[in-house]
Amino acid sequence: MNTKMLKKAALCVALGACLGALAPTVMAQSATGAIAGRANAGDQITITNTATGLTRTVTASRDGNYRLGQLPVGDYRLQLQRDGRSEGEPLSVNVALGGTTTVNLGGGGEAITLDSIQVVGSRIVNRVDVYSTETVTTVSREELARMPVAQDMGSVALLAPGVVGGNSSFGGISFGGSSVAENSVFINGLNVTDFYRRQSFSSAPFAFFQEFQVKTGGYSVEFGRSTGGVINAVTRSGSNEFKSGVEFTFEPNAWRSKADDHQFDRVDGDGTAASAVYKASHDTSSFMKANVWASGPLVKDRLFFFGMYEQRQGTYGNTNNAGTEWSRAKSDNGFWGAKLDWNITDDHRLELLAFSDEGSTDNSTSLYDFDTRAIGDLKGTSVDDGGGKNGSLTYIGQFGDNFTAKAMYGVNRSRALSASPADALCSQVLIDASYNSVYTAMGQPAVSCHPSTSTSVVDHHDERKVGRLDFEWVLGDHLLRFGLDREEMTTDRTTRYPGSTGMRYSVFAATPGAELDNGALVPGGVDAIVMGRRRIDGGVFETTANAYYLEDVWSVTPNLVLNLGVRVDGFDNKTASGASFIKMDKLVSPRLGFSWDMKGDGSTKLSGNLGRYYLPVTNIINYNFAGGLIDERTFYALDGWRAATNPVTGSGYMEPVLGAQIGPVDDSYNLPVDDLRQSVSRDLDAVYQDEAILGFQQMINQAWSWGVNATYRRMPNAMDDIRINHTPCGPVGYSLWPIANPGEKVTIWGNEDIGCDTEGWITIDTSKAGYIKGGSGEVVGYFKPKRTYKALEFQIDRAWDDKWAFNASYLWSKSEGNHEGPVNSDTNYGDTGMVQHWDHPANNQDYGPLFNDHRHQIKLRGSYKLNEMWSFGGTFTALSGGPITALGVAWPDDSTGAASFVTEGSGGGSFWHCVKNCDGTWDQREFEYAGRGWGGRMPWTYNLGANVTWTLPVDGVDLKARLSVYNLLNEQEVINQRARYEKGPGVTRGLYGTGTRWQSPRYAQLVVTWNF
């Protein structure tokens, strides 16, 4: 092959950002890319999209720089023209998602610096992107098809270093030590992140996407509203060629291993038997889906379509933990999605995206005999509805050679509805672990006529409306980027417990004389109690988020690029009446990045990034504070059990008999809505995180590269509801729960209700005051919030060359502080921004390893093509265990508990264990300190996946079958453990440290794809 042919082939498909002198765009929320580089001054560079015919031309500036921005992802043909004549052969160039492909052109129109790229057949792969200042992992649909990756965006994110699964009790993923409620997800630039809790997002089938980006740090200023990570995905589009295909996915239950059963029989410190049972070996799961897609031109070179429909069917069965009930869930839902691309002219185009992930699940619950596997009487049925319709319209215009504008409007909808015929008739009843021995002796009968023990009656609708304007202006060595965006997020939600009383009842074993949460003592002769909890809330709430940004991407020299930017955010959370109750604006986020091509040949790079990122307030705060909340607990003596008949199914069950009420109704958790001046601090500051990244990357040869980077993150503040029971006016007499910044000054309205002689604003420095200890009367404050993340990442990569590819990473990290973020994984509490971190000063006294602190992470992935018929892929993850914390219930010199003496899940807990005189009064108790991680570490977890792909070896027929096995070794190691060490001062919980969640067992998946 001659040199000219080699150079032409080498640029056929460029992956990532190649080498050049003009800095690239960092498109955090974009579904486009760019081409840039150097040529002779006055040269004209013309690119043509090989799929759609879209053509753009730009003239190199006086210093030889050229740039074409906001290009759809795909393959292009690049031609150099000089003095009206074409120079050299056309070059094939690929534009990747969110990046800039840089092509430097020689005097004859040929590509130069071929010595610093990998030549793979007819394409080149840039091993070191000397212009990127982001920490990002990009994965294409072709690469995913070669590896065993579960078909959801979260599994794609887990391929990236520093990304781990969060608390399995409420799901999600953690980026760089952050909580699961700090991430953002975008589809074609549309934000589809759940804004109610920020723990989920709208979804689409894998086959709907073309490419994914997983951003773990260093985002540009056009991106905000996240202190964790970003998943950025772009969908497929049509072309001038008609194409279509079908795909079938099978996951039968027969290909799934059984989950292990677990039983723990322990004794509490007071001699009470405590047991926990987790029966899962009978659980079943069968799933299949089929999708059909088509794409092509509606008008050649101008109007294109891509459409997909997917039908999904799933049947799931599982026992409750005790094995006494059988729950069955069935779903049969369809996804539809479409993309239209209209090239109005070569300089102006429109893109329309629409998709729906609406779905329903039918649920039923029946009695169950675990030993015989016999399904008994039906307890009840329910229906859960989720998902919604989504869409966006985007305009992109090129004005002259150097100015590009983009405008987008989009709507993201989701819903969460849950209803049962038993809702109006039946209350829910829960059996606490402390009562398990008695319940087991009863034969573990059904204790409620409601089919669910935890689901509330929910009617929830969310809608986000998005408007964006983005501009790019090339001025010599400067690329100026600026824009603004606005999101209007509306939640319409009502929630209550089922039953005629609106209460959910929990049954506990009790000891006479023990103190309850309402301050009353368990009467003599009472060995069991029932707690009735009534919780009602609802309304329509809106939050708006506005931002504008400005960035200068400056090529200081041909080898040094600086990114200088600033972003300004504003958040406005409103009440049900539309009035602002949390409003924060002028939130300035400076960003600074650099990339240095150290040798000037694109083989070695040193880069860094400094930035600040703000986190918005979720709509669950509007819902709970600006709509009012009734959250009351009433305690009763248990007067035995009586037989009852289910009014829906006619089956029998046992219901608890409520005896005498014990003490007053505990209404300290109620949140009034009439006056929010005591519900929200006037001094409220937004939560933010600062980040610093320093990285080095180098080519080993044209196929291999390696790199190392160091990351430091710090979150120096927090926002949550804080217990305030003492103000400058004196003791309140009860607890206020304002949304505020713990450890900082809190300003609320003072009046006679809280002990003030006159009305007016009062300020409490919560680092020194705000909480008065029971008994001693000592006034103390809260410990200042702090979260830090330090990480050192090593990575080596071997690019795919149509034969094999390999990537390996090792990450050492340390996530420390005294709060995880807006959720609390230690106690499985997921109400974002309203967790137990600041329910008591003892909750966050200790600074140490946090729940998502996994010191060591090893990730491997690879693929190998044996021949044209057979290929193989694999993934492997090894993750060191997180810390085990031992939470007590009290601390020195305070008669008020730091956690509930009744329930395992209420209250945050303390880092003190009572070791002497624990039965005495508060002033006689002696404690020892037990910081975060006192209980050691959970074990390492390992996950190996493998697949084999068969391709029909017939020219012109694209038929493949891929068999993937996940968790090949069937590891079922514990991934979550109980963190409650005490149930009363000096009374240990026997179940402390026992598991509550384990790895999912091995399962297999068959995917058959036929494209034509």
Side-chain angles (χ1 to χ4, degrees), residues 807-873:
N807 179 276
S809 67
Y810 167 75
L811 183 82
W812 175 91
S813 64
K814 182 184 287 187
S815 180
E816 295 181 307
N818 67 337
H819 77 113
E820 177 187 357
V823 299
N824 188 358
S825 295
D826 288 329
T827 56
N828 301 319
Y829 205 92
D831 280 350
T832 308
M834 289 179 42
V835 294
Q836 311 111 313
H837 285 318
W838 318 100
D839 286 4
H840 189 283
N843 297 164
N844 281 69
Q845 183 173 3
D846 191 70
Y847 297 84
L850 296 170
F851 184 90
N852 294 314
D853 177 54
H854 299 275
R855 294 295 166 87
H856 306 282
Q857 300 176 40
I858 300 170
K859 295 186 178 182
L860 311 176
R861 67 179 190 267
S863 52
Y864 174 73
K865 183 178 178 181
L866 179 65
N867 51 42
E868 295 303 316
M869 184 182 296
W870 297 101
S871 59
F872 305 88

Side-chain angles (χ1 to χ4, degrees), residues 713-832:
R713 285 178 161 187
R714 71 178 188 106
M715 181 177 281
N717 70 333
M719 182 192 301
D720 215 303
D721 59 335
I722 310 175
R723 181 202 294 257
I724 300 292
N725 62 8
H726 189 276
T727 75
C729 300
V732 177
Y734 56 94
S735 293
L736 302 171
W737 299 94
I739 291 291
N741 302 117
E744 304 294 338
K745 291 182 178 180
V746 174
T747 298
I748 59 176
W749 188 254
N751 55 26
E752 62 180 10
D753 294 340
I754 63 172
C756 297
D757 294 333
T758 59
E759 290 193 355
W761 294 103
I762 56 174
T763 298
I764 309 120
D765 184 350
T766 61
S767 67
K768 303 174 182 177
Y771 178 80
I772 183 170
K773 293 184 177 182
S776 69
E778 181 185 2
V779 176
V780 297
Y782 289 83
F783 298 88
K784 284 184 175 292
K786 180 182 179 182
R787 187 183 80 188
T788 61
Y789 174 78
K790 304 169 186 176
L792 189 63
E793 171 197 325
F794 299 87
Q795 190 166 180
I796 187 167
D797 185 81
R798 204 274 183 186
W800 175 254
D801 62 353
D802 204 38
K803 185 66 176 178
W804 69 289
F806 177 74
N807 179 276
S809 67
Y810 167 75
L811 183 82
W812 175 91
S813 64
K814 182 184 287 187
S815 180
E816 295 181 307
N818 67 337
H819 77 113
E820 177 187 357
V823 299
N824 188 358
S825 295
D826 288 329
T827 56
N828 301 319
Y829 205 92
D831 280 350
T832 308

Side-chain angles (χ1 to χ4, degrees), residues 70-340:
Q70 297 291 356
L71 300 174
V73 171
D75 294 331
Y76 290 81
R77 187 172 59 253
L78 184 150
Q79 177 67 62
L80 174 68
Q81 291 183 322
R82 181 174 297 130
D83 299 326
R85 298 188 307 272
S86 295
E87 296 287 339
E89 296 293 328
L91 305 174
S92 295
V93 180
N94 177 268
V95 173
L97 174 61
T100 298
T101 302
T102 306
V103 182
N104 293 334
L105 300 169
E110 75 281 7
I112 60 176
T113 63
L114 287 179
D115 54 334
S116 62
I117 58 178
Q118 178 196 11
V119 181
V120 183
S122 61
R123 61 177 178 168
I124 64 170
V125 178
N126 172 235
R127 307 314 308 140
V128 178
D129 180 357
V130 295
Y131 294 110
S132 174
T133 61
E134 287 187 314
T135 304
V136 61
T137 299
T138 301
V139 188
S140 68
R141 60 190 301 265
E142 290 81 11
E143 184 177 0
L144 289 170
R146 296 193 295 264
M147 298 185 300
V149 179
Q151 296 185 4
D152 60 85
M153 285 197 278
S155 296
V156 176
L158 289 173
L159 296 174
V163 183
V164 299
N167 186 325
S168 58
S169 296
F170 44 81
I173 49 180
S174 167
F175 286 72
S178 65
S179 76
V180 299
E182 301 172 49
N183 310 317
S184 293
V185 179
F186 297 86
I187 297 178
N188 285 13
L190 175 66
N191 190 349
V192 297
T193 314
D194 159 42
F195 56 80
Y196 183 73
R197 279 193 173 93
R198 293 189 65 88
Q199 297 177 35
S200 62
F201 47 85
S202 301
S203 62
F206 250 33
F208 194 59
F209 294 105
Q210 178 63 35
E211 200 165 323
F212 301 87
Q213 279 189 319
V214 183
K215 297 174 182 290
T216 54
Y219 326 132
S220 75
V221 290
E222 77 173 281
F223 177 80
R225 303 174 192 137
S226 170
T227 50
V230 174
I231 304 174
N232 186 32
V234 62
T235 65
R236 296 163 68 182
S237 297
S239 67
N240 274 325
E241 182 181 356
F242 282 105
K243 299 179 181 179
S244 59
V246 293
E247 182 176 270
F248 301 91
T249 301
F250 305 92
E251 295 177 12
N253 185 67
W255 296 355
R256 184 177 296 268
S257 297
K258 291 182 179 180
D260 295 336
D261 294 328
H262 302 273
Q263 180 167 343
F264 306 102
D265 296 305
R266 304 287 191 269
V267 178
D268 291 340
D270 58 2
T272 303
S275 62
V277 179
Y278 300 90
K279 293 186 176 180
S281 59
H282 293 184
D283 295 356
T284 62
S285 175
S286 294
F287 175 76
M288 70 166 293
K289 64 180 182 178
N291 76 56
V292 56
W293 64 271
S295 67
L298 296 176
V299 178
K300 190 178 187 323
D301 289 340
R302 290 302 175 199
L303 184 61
F304 313 91
F305 77 94
F306 176 87
M308 173 177 288
Y309 180 80
E310 179 172 281
Q311 190 68 26
R312 308 161 177 172
Q313 294 181 346
T315 303
Y316 313 94
N318 66 278
T319 62
N320 61 350
N321 285 338
T324 59
E325 294 179 358
W326 178 258
S327 295
R328 188 168 184 262
K330 291 186 65 177
S331 61
D332 189 357
N333 302 305
F335 167 92
W336 62 262
K339 175 86 184 301
L340 287 176

Side-chain angles (χ1 to χ4, degrees), residues 913-969:
H913 300 161
C914 186
V915 294
K916 190 175 181 181
N917 301 325
C918 302
D919 291 333
T921 59
W922 60 268
D923 56 329
Q924 296 175 325
R925 298 170 184 161
E926 296 182 21
F927 295 84
E928 70 175 12
Y929 194 72
R932 295 181 184 274
W934 179 85
R937 291 267 173 174
M938 287 187 280
W940 279 68
T941 57
Y942 304 93
N943 199 320
L944 174 65
N947 71 354
V948 56
T949 301
W950 171 84
T951 302
L952 181 67
V954 175
D955 290 341
V957 180
D958 185 1
L959 177 63
K960 292 181 172 66
R962 182 175 72 249
L963 178 67
S964 301
V965 182
Y966 302 94
N967 192 6
L968 181 65
L969 302 180

Side-chain angles (χ1 to χ4, degrees), residues 20-24 38 63 65 130-131 133 475-479 552-564 592-597:
L22 188 66
R38 295 181 68 89
D63 55 7
N65 290 334
V130 295
Y131 294 110
T133 61
L475 293 174
D477 291 332
H478 297 266
L479 170 63
D552 181 8
V553 186
W554 178 22
S555 293
V556 183
T557 72
N559 300 332
L560 178 64
V561 175
L562 292 181
N563 284 17
L564 309 171
L592 170 65
F594 79 92
S595 179
W596 176 26
D597 181 1

